[in-house]
Amino acid sequence: SMSLREHALSLFRSAVGTVRPAPMLKRAMKLQGDGCPQLLVKGRAFPVKRNLYLVGFGKAVLGMAAAAEEILGDHLVRGIINVPLGIQESLQRAGMQEMLLKPHSKIQVIEGAKNNLPDPEALKGAVAIQELAEGLTVDDLLLVLISGGGSALLPAPIPPILLEEKEKLTKMLASRGAAIQELNIVRKTLSLLKGGGLAQLAYPAQVVSLILSDVIGDPLDIIASGPTAASSHSVEDCLQILTKYNLLHSLPKSVETVLTSSPTKPTAPEDYSHVCNIIIGSNTLALDEAKRQAEGLGYATLILSAAIRGEVGRVATLYCQLIRLVCLGFAGLGEGPLGDEVRGNLLQLAAELEILGLNLAEFLRALRGLAPEKPVCILAGGETTVQLQGTGEGGRNQELALRVGLGLHRAQATEVRSLPGRCEIVFLSGGTDGQDGPTEAAGAFCSPELVDEALQEGLDVEAFLRNNDSYTFFSQFQGGHHLLVTGLTGTNVMDIQAILIRTM
């Protein structure tokens, strides 16, 4: 029988596998027919003659483009993709040939956006993409590949604004505490390509966007700043944000020019009937695949949410309380005062975390309805945040795992009479891109026993957490056996968590 850890690992791998570029594109897109071939995209058919063009931008787009070119073959006339600096070399080094373009590819690769910030290289790529889009006719089909990180790779400020002026304004906003949503609204308003600009420039060509989402809730106008989606924001919204942070009077001349010459009263909404936006990969899809696998392994499986967010300590408390509830259920104490107390804690935590679309009361009912003799698997995904205080090494997933381990250890210490020895528990949290913070790990596994072991070794778990040093902590044990190390995956749909529990 496989260990819980091996099960957790195989669930994580299958979740990531399903949103890797090649399988993802093959599910979404097929070329059909010989005489007058059609491109089938999620049930919609587009006739193809030699009229297919491709552009893309984002961290996972190189692998997506390689898979797309394989499917499209000679029908592809030409393509341009903007990808992060150094990615071809990284994939080459990692031996991931399948993510690289073939030697005589029709797709031009431009690398830029060092440190995920717009730079002259990214601008060069954006201008090339803009020129390609502007040259298309009514008979052409433009395939757009989009993934997270696309925003920094598609900078095209509206003239006369210069890239450095737009950057400076963004930095000023950030330093005054503007939220990421606010920064994106300002960026979009001053951009030619974001906020639907790319789709408008490509008109009258048919535009088909295939999107890998790394944003909670998969909002089309937010992922990579929505270059092919109608923007839900106006110039007015941008001016409001600049007023709020007291920047209206210190704007560069060029930004003033653009904002005052833009029509402030809403014009007729632009037409997006030539655009088809399709989410082909997301955290939800990855979790669905993990659920199928878990059920195949014999677990009663529930998905909590694909929109988990919030401070890592609070999220860890949520998971610890959920695990306590399952263990109480296994011990036949789920319906007593203890169970009620835990359920009350959970409902309060969920309300404070404001997790999009989570109906916790319904989830708890489903949990009560599970067969009592089956092991339980709870899956979740999203992106937590860490308040950095220390100088240690780690990332949000490793820190979350360690915090859950510590919380479970404490709960077991206080519930001596009812629970110990009854439940075997493994918690896993990992980043689907294979990277967690500046470490070589994607995340970590944790169990209450690990924390017992650490305390016996004289390791002070809380000190590691205070120093944000979870990577160093996990590295102390049997050759890093508790670290999740996958290497670069070539995809990214945020993070995945798995809780596996069985009775001993």
Side-chain angles (χ1 to χ4, degrees):
S1 79
M2 285 165 79
S3 70
L4 289 188
R5 184 188 173 281
E6 288 165 324
H7 281 172
L9 180 59
S10 98
L11 297 181
F12 182 80
R13 290 224 151 112
S14 63
V16 171
T18 199
V19 291
R20 277 183 182 249
M24 198 168 59
L25 272 138
K26 288 186 179 121
R27 274 200 311 272
M29 179 168 90
K30 292 182 178 45
L31 202 57
Q32 208 180 45
D34 297 327
C36 119
Q38 289 185 315
L39 185 64
L40 289 182
V41 184
K42 285 272 168 124
R44 287 187 56 173
F46 303 96
V48 281
K49 309 177 272 302
R50 296 253 327 163
N51 61 345
L52 237 170
Y53 295 84
L54 179 151
V55 297
F57 28 88
K59 295 178 181 176
V61 159
L62 189 60
M64 289 166 77
E69 188 164 29
E70 204 158 293
I71 296 167
L72 302 172
D74 289 339
H75 296 284
L76 181 64
V77 184
R78 75 178 266 245
I80 302 171
I81 58 172
N82 250 12
V83 294
L85 190 67
I87 190 158
Q88 296 179 94
E89 197 198 334
S90 300
L91 291 168
Q92 191 91 50
R93 269 208 317 269
M96 295 171 76
Q97 275 353 87
E98 75 282 5
M99 301 265 180
L100 297 166
L101 295 170
K102 302 277 181 288
H104 302 293
S105 168
K106 292 179 186 156
I107 300 171
Q108 176 192 359
V109 181
I110 297 170
E111 292 193 357
K114 189 177 176 184
N115 302 328
N116 204 20
L117 294 169
D119 59 12
E121 288 309 306
L123 182 59
K124 202 173 81 181
V127 169
I129 287 172
Q130 179 190 336
E131 286 169 356
L132 186 150
E134 285 172 333
L136 300 176
T137 69
V138 69
D139 297 320
D140 294 325
L141 175 60
L142 178 65
L143 196 60
V144 184
L145 306 177
I146 301 177
S147 78
S151 200
L153 286 160
L154 199 68
I158 298 171
I161 302 174
L162 300 172
L163 182 62
E164 40 274 24
E165 292 177 318
K166 191 173 160 185
E167 276 312 280
K168 196 173 150 194
L169 179 58
T170 310
K171 283 202 179 92
M172 277 160 71
L173 274 166
S175 71
R176 293 184 184 199
I180 182 74
Q181 289 80 357
E182 295 176 314
L183 293 176
N184 283 340
I185 291 169
V186 173
R187 277 191 198 127
K188 271 198 294 200
T189 312
L190 303 177
S191 168
L192 278 173
L193 298 176
K194 298 181 165 107
L198 177 62
Q200 293 306 325
L201 290 176
Y203 182 85
Q206 172 72 49
V207 177
V208 178
S209 265
L210 303 181
I211 302 165
L212 176 64
S213 169
D214 69 333
V215 181
I216 283 178
D218 309 333
L220 290 173
D221 64 326
I222 304 286
I223 302 162
S225 301
T228 57
S231 176
S232 48
H233 304 288
S234 64
V235 173
E236 283 298 293
D237 297 323
C238 178
L239 289 167
Q240 256 175 344
I241 292 165
L242 294 170
T243 309
K244 173 177 168 185
Y245 293 102
N246 212 354
L247 285 169
L248 260 193
H249 304 296
S250 44
L251 294 176
K253 201 91 204 100
S254 58
V255 173
E256 247 174 65
T257 308
V258 166
L259 288 175
T260 48
S261 61
S262 311
T264 44
K265 56 179 189 304
T267 44
E270 288 170 315
D271 181 15
Y272 283 84
S273 57
H274 65 298
V275 183
C276 173
N277 284 311
I278 300 166
I279 301 256
I280 62 167
S282 65
N283 193 276
T284 302
L285 280 163
L287 290 177
D288 288 342
E289 178 59 27
K291 179 175 196 267
R292 267 199 11 209
Q293 300 284 338
E295 288 171 344
L297 290 169
Y299 287 86
T301 308
L302 292 174
I303 293 175
L304 176 65
S305 164
I308 298 290
R309 56 173 203 173
E311 203 276 312
V312 58
R314 315 295 302 274
V315 175
T317 308
L318 180 80
Y319 287 145
C320 286
Q321 297 287 349
L322 267 177
I323 293 166
R324 273 183 74 195
L325 193 58
V326 173
C327 291
L328 284 168
F330 278 149
L333 299 168
E335 298 308 316
L338 254 178
D340 292 341
E341 181 197 327
V342 175
R343 270 187 287 271
N345 293 346
L346 278 167
L347 289 164
Q348 192 185 339
L349 265 170
E352 287 168 14
L353 285 167
E354 294 177 345
I355 292 162
L356 192 80
L358 170 62
N359 182 340
L360 189 65
E362 197 177 295
F363 179 85
L364 294 176
R365 274 196 295 282
L367 197 55
R368 275 180 160 146
L370 295 181
E373 64 288 344
K374 271 188 146 180
V376 171
C377 170
I378 296 174
L379 298 164
E383 202 158 87
T384 56
T385 45
V386 174
Q387 300 291 317
L388 280 179
Q389 293 163 319
T391 53
E393 272 200 298
R396 58 180 183 262
N397 289 289
Q398 294 163 74
E399 179 150 332
L400 179 59
L402 186 50
R403 284 183 183 277
V404 168
L406 182 60
L408 293 174
H409 166 79
R410 286 182 180 152
Q412 286 197 348
T414 56
E415 286 172 10
V416 176
R417 44 181 211 294
S418 55
L419 298 183
R422 301 231 163 163
C423 265
E424 189 188 350
I425 304 159
V426 160
F427 175 82
L428 163 68
S429 187
T432 53
D433 59 356
Q435 295 171 300
D436 187 37
T439 68
E440 44 123 36
F445 303 86
C446 207
S447 65
E449 296 73 48
L450 178 68
V451 176
D452 292 335
E453 204 182 311
L455 293 168
Q456 279 156 17
E457 299 280 317
L459 294 173
D460 179 349
V461 178
E462 288 170 66
F464 281 100
L465 283 170
R466 275 196 301 278
N467 195 27
N468 299 113
D469 204 12
S470 49
Y471 177 77
T472 308
F473 173 85
F474 286 115
S475 306
Q476 312 273 335
F477 299 91
Q478 350 159 342
H481 179 69
H482 296 281
L483 286 167
L484 170 66
V485 181
T486 60
L488 270 183
T489 62
T491 188
N492 180 18
V493 294
M494 302 182 289
D495 303 335
I496 284 177
Q497 281 97 44
I499 296 169
L500 302 187
I501 308 173
R502 63 184 174 197
T503 49
M504 310 275 257

